[in-house]
Amino acid sequence: ANAFVLKGDPPRADVALRMLLCDRMGNGCRHEVNPLQHVNVRIENMSIVGDSGDRPSKLLEWAVEHGRGDTLNFSLNALPALLEASAQLSAPSTKAGEPSWCTVCVFVSATDRASRQRIAGSPCRMYLTFDAAPYVRKLCLASVAVLVVAAADTGQDSQGSTCADSCQGHGSSASVSSIGPRPSVSSLEVPSKPD
């Protein structure tokens, strides 16, 4: 599946999802309607792809608003818990100067406000990916600093140098009322390719 790329520090992305609205007869709505007036939309679940560890349930901060026509705009921001987890998972295989991609799977849920039933296509799966290499470097530097301090307290320096050796190549620095006839929601879909 195609993945949307989170960029920046902390990583973030804006993703557009399309809702297909229809009237009670099943005809597509031709006038502009705000889907959020008729549908509750939220991210229901999220997890790191390939990770079986016990992680916090909230890895991303998100918000949704009405875009143009039948689209919804999701704003997604990586939380510190996700950055820390991605660094821990990527550290063993990350090589100096190379990206280390971490992918998060999220499920977007949409339910009809009136009937509280899920709409067709819900929940839909969406993938988000970002380069975890910068956070691997930060994790290694933090580990070296902690071990050097611990070695200084005990009068030993072998632990600090061992950790530093293992991290070589990672760098040294680091409810709403309706107006007019109420449409029903036909389906929710994620674009096949990122915008």
Side-chain angles (χ1 to χ4, degrees), residues 155-194:
Q156 299 176 355
D157 59 1
S158 60
Q159 292 181 343
S161 60
T162 300
C163 182
D165 292 340
S166 67
C167 290
Q168 280 184 354
H170 294 301
S172 57
S173 60
S175 159
V176 180
S177 60
S178 302
I179 301 176
R182 182 183 180 281
S184 60
V185 179
S186 174
S187 66
L188 172 69
E189 64 180 28
V190 177
S192 59
K193 293 184 179 179

Coordinates of all heavy atoms in Angstrom, one line a residue, residues 155-194:
G155 N 33.8 5.1 38.9 CA 35.2 5.1 38.7 C 35.7 4.2 37.5 O 36.8 3.8 37.4
Q156 N 34.7 3.8 36.6 CA 35.0 2.9 35.5 C 34.6 3.6 34.2 O 33.7 4.4 34.2 CB 34.2 1.6 35.6 CG 34.6 0.8 36.8 CD 33.7 -0.5 36.9 OE1 32.8 -0.7 36.1 NE2 34.0 -1.3 37.9
D157 N 35.3 3.3 33.1 CA 35.0 3.9 31.8 C 34.7 2.9 30.7 O 34.5 3.3 29.6 CB 36.1 4.9 31.4 CG 37.4 4.2 31.2 OD1 37.5 3.0 31.4 OD2 38.4 4.9 30.9
S158 N 34.8 1.7 31.0 CA 34.6 0.7 30.0 C 33.2 0.6 29.4 O 33.0 0.4 28.3 CB 35.0 -0.7 30.5 OG 34.2 -1.1 31.6
Q159 N 32.2 0.8 30.3 CA 30.8 0.7 29.8 C 30.5 1.8 28.8 O 29.9 1.6 27.8 CB 29.9 0.9 31.0 CG 29.9 -0.4 31.9 CD 28.9 -0.2 33.0 OE1 28.4 0.9 33.3 NE2 28.6 -1.3 33.7
G160 N 31.0 3.1 29.1 CA 30.8 4.2 28.2 C 31.4 3.9 26.8 O 30.8 4.2 25.8
S161 N 32.7 3.4 26.8 CA 33.3 3.2 25.6 C 32.7 2.1 24.8 O 32.6 2.2 23.5 CB 34.8 2.9 25.8 OG 34.9 1.7 26.6
T162 N 32.1 1.1 25.4 CA 31.5 0.0 24.8 C 30.2 0.5 24.0 O 30.0 0.2 22.9 CB 31.1 -1.1 25.7 OG1 32.3 -1.6 26.3 CG2 30.3 -2.2 25.0
C163 N 29.4 1.3 24.7 CA 28.2 1.9 24.1 C 28.6 2.8 22.9 O 28.0 2.8 21.9 CB 27.4 2.6 25.1 SG 25.9 3.3 24.5
A164 N 29.6 3.6 23.1 CA 30.1 4.5 22.1 C 30.5 3.7 20.8 O 30.2 4.1 19.7 CB 31.2 5.4 22.6
D165 N 31.2 2.6 21.0 CA 31.6 1.8 19.9 C 30.4 1.2 19.2 O 30.4 1.2 17.9 CB 32.5 0.6 20.4 CG 33.8 1.1 20.9 OD1 34.2 2.2 20.6 OD2 34.4 0.3 21.7
S166 N 29.3 0.8 19.9 CA 28.2 0.2 19.3 C 27.4 1.2 18.5 O 26.6 0.9 17.6 CB 27.3 -0.5 20.3 OG 26.7 0.5 21.2
C167 N 27.6 2.5 18.8 CA 26.8 3.6 18.2 C 27.6 4.3 17.1 O 27.2 5.4 16.7 CB 26.3 4.6 19.2 SG 25.0 3.9 20.3
Q168 N 28.8 3.8 16.8 CA 29.6 4.5 15.8 C 28.8 4.6 14.5 O 28.1 3.7 14.0 CB 30.9 3.7 15.5 CG 32.0 3.9 16.6 CD 33.2 3.2 16.2 OE1 33.3 2.4 15.3 NE2 34.3 3.4 17.0
G169 N 29.0 5.8 13.8 CA 28.3 6.0 12.6 C 27.0 6.7 12.7 O 26.4 7.1 11.7
H170 N 26.6 6.9 14.0 CA 25.3 7.6 14.2 C 25.6 9.1 14.5 O 24.7 9.8 14.9 CB 24.5 7.0 15.3 CG 24.1 5.6 14.9 ND1 23.2 5.4 13.9 CD2 24.3 4.4 15.5 CE1 23.0 4.1 13.8 NE2 23.7 3.5 14.8
G171 N 26.8 9.6 14.4 CA 27.1 11.0 14.6 C 27.5 11.3 16.0 O 27.3 10.5 17.0
S172 N 28.2 12.4 16.2 CA 28.7 12.7 17.5 C 27.9 13.9 18.1 O 28.2 14.3 19.2 CB 30.2 13.1 17.4 OG 30.4 14.1 16.5
S173 N 27.0 14.4 17.4 CA 26.1 15.5 17.9 C 24.7 15.2 17.5 O 24.4 14.6 16.4 CB 26.6 16.8 17.4 OG 26.5 16.9 16.0
A174 N 24.7 15.5 18.0 CA 23.4 15.0 17.7 C 22.2 15.9 16.9 O 22.5 16.9 16.4 CB 22.7 14.9 19.0
S175 N -22.9 17.3 18.8 CA -23.8 16.9 17.6 C -24.3 18.2 16.9 O -24.8 19.0 17.5 CB -24.9 16.1 18.3 OG -26.1 16.0 17.5
V176 N -24.3 18.2 15.6 CA -24.5 19.4 14.7 C -25.8 19.3 14.0 O -26.1 18.3 13.4 CB -23.3 19.5 13.8 CG1 -23.5 20.7 12.9 CG2 -22.0 19.6 14.5
S177 N -26.6 20.4 13.9 CA -27.9 20.3 13.2 C -27.6 20.4 11.7 O -26.7 21.1 11.2 CB -28.8 21.5 13.7 OG -28.1 22.7 13.4
S178 N -28.5 19.7 11.0 CA -28.4 19.7 9.5 C -29.2 20.9 8.9 O -30.2 21.3 9.4 CB -29.0 18.4 9.0 OG -28.3 17.3 9.5
I179 N -28.7 21.4 7.8 CA -29.4 22.4 7.0 C -29.8 21.8 5.7 O -29.0 21.4 4.9 CB -28.4 23.6 6.8 CG1 -27.9 24.2 8.1 CG2 -29.1 24.7 6.0 CD1 -26.9 25.3 7.9
G180 N -31.1 21.8 5.5 CA -31.7 21.2 4.3 C -31.8 19.7 4.4 O -31.6 19.2 5.5
P181 N -32.1 19.0 3.3 CA -32.3 17.6 3.3 C -31.0 16.9 3.8 O -29.9 17.3 3.4 CB -32.5 17.2 1.8 CG -33.0 18.5 1.2 CD -32.3 19.6 2.0
R182 N -31.1 16.0 4.7 CA -30.0 15.3 5.3 C -29.5 14.2 4.4 O -30.2 13.2 4.1 CB -30.4 14.7 6.6 CG -29.2 14.1 7.3 CD -29.6 13.4 8.6 NE -28.5 12.8 9.3 CZ -28.0 11.6 8.9 NH1 -28.5 11.0 7.9 NH2 -26.9 11.1 9.5
P183 N -28.2 14.3 3.9 CA -27.7 13.2 3.0 C -27.2 12.1 3.9 O -26.9 12.2 5.0 CB -26.5 13.9 2.3 CG -26.0 14.9 3.3 CD -27.3 15.4 4.0
S184 N -27.1 10.9 3.3 CA -26.5 9.8 3.9 C -25.1 9.6 3.3 O -24.8 10.2 2.3 CB -27.3 8.5 3.6 OG -27.4 8.2 2.3
V185 N -24.2 8.9 4.1 CA -22.9 8.7 3.6 C -22.7 7.4 2.9 O -23.1 6.4 3.5 CB -21.9 8.8 4.8 CG1 -20.5 8.7 4.3 CG2 -22.1 10.2 5.5
S186 N -22.2 7.4 1.7 CA -22.0 6.2 1.0 C -20.8 5.4 1.3 O -20.8 4.3 1.6 CB -22.1 6.5 -0.5 OG -21.8 5.4 -1.3
S187 N -19.6 6.1 1.3 CA -18.4 5.4 1.6 C -17.3 6.4 1.9 O -17.4 7.6 1.7 CB -17.9 4.6 0.3 OG -17.6 5.5 -0.7
L188 N -16.2 5.9 2.5 CA -15.0 6.6 2.9 C -13.8 5.9 2.2 O -13.7 4.7 2.2 CB -14.8 6.6 4.4 CG -13.6 7.2 5.0 CD1 -13.5 8.7 4.8 CD2 -13.5 6.8 6.5
E189 N -12.9 6.7 1.6 CA -11.8 6.1 0.9 C -10.5 6.9 1.1 O -10.6 8.1 1.3 CB -12.1 5.9 -0.5 CG -12.3 7.1 -1.3 CD -12.6 6.9 -2.8 OE1 -13.1 5.8 -3.1 OE2 -12.2 7.7 -3.6
V190 N -9.4 6.3 1.0 CA -8.1 6.9 1.1 C -7.6 7.0 -0.3 O -7.7 6.0 -1.1 CB -7.1 6.1 1.9 CG1 -5.7 6.8 1.9 CG2 -7.6 6.0 3.4
P191 N -7.0 8.1 -0.8 CA -6.5 8.2 -2.1 C -5.4 7.1 -2.4 O -4.7 6.8 -1.5 CB -5.8 9.6 -2.2 CG -6.5 10.4 -1.1 CD -6.9 9.4 0.0
S192 N -5.4 6.6 -3.6 CA -4.4 5.5 -3.9 C -3.0 6.0 -3.9 O -2.1 5.3 -3.7 CB -4.7 4.9 -5.3 OG -4.7 5.9 -6.3
K193 N -2.8 7.3 -4.1 CA -1.5 7.9 -4.1 C -1.5 9.2 -3.3 O -2.5 9.9 -3.3 CB -1.0 8.2 -5.5 CG -0.7 7.0 -6.4 CD -0.2 7.4 -7.7 CE 0.1 6.1 -8.6 NZ 0.7 6.5 -9.9
P194 N -0.4 9.4 -2.5 CA -0.4 10.7 -1.7 C -0.4 11.9 -2.7 O 0.1 11.8 -3.8 CB 1.0 10.5 -1.0 CG 1.4 9.1 -1.1 CD 0.8 8.6 -2.4

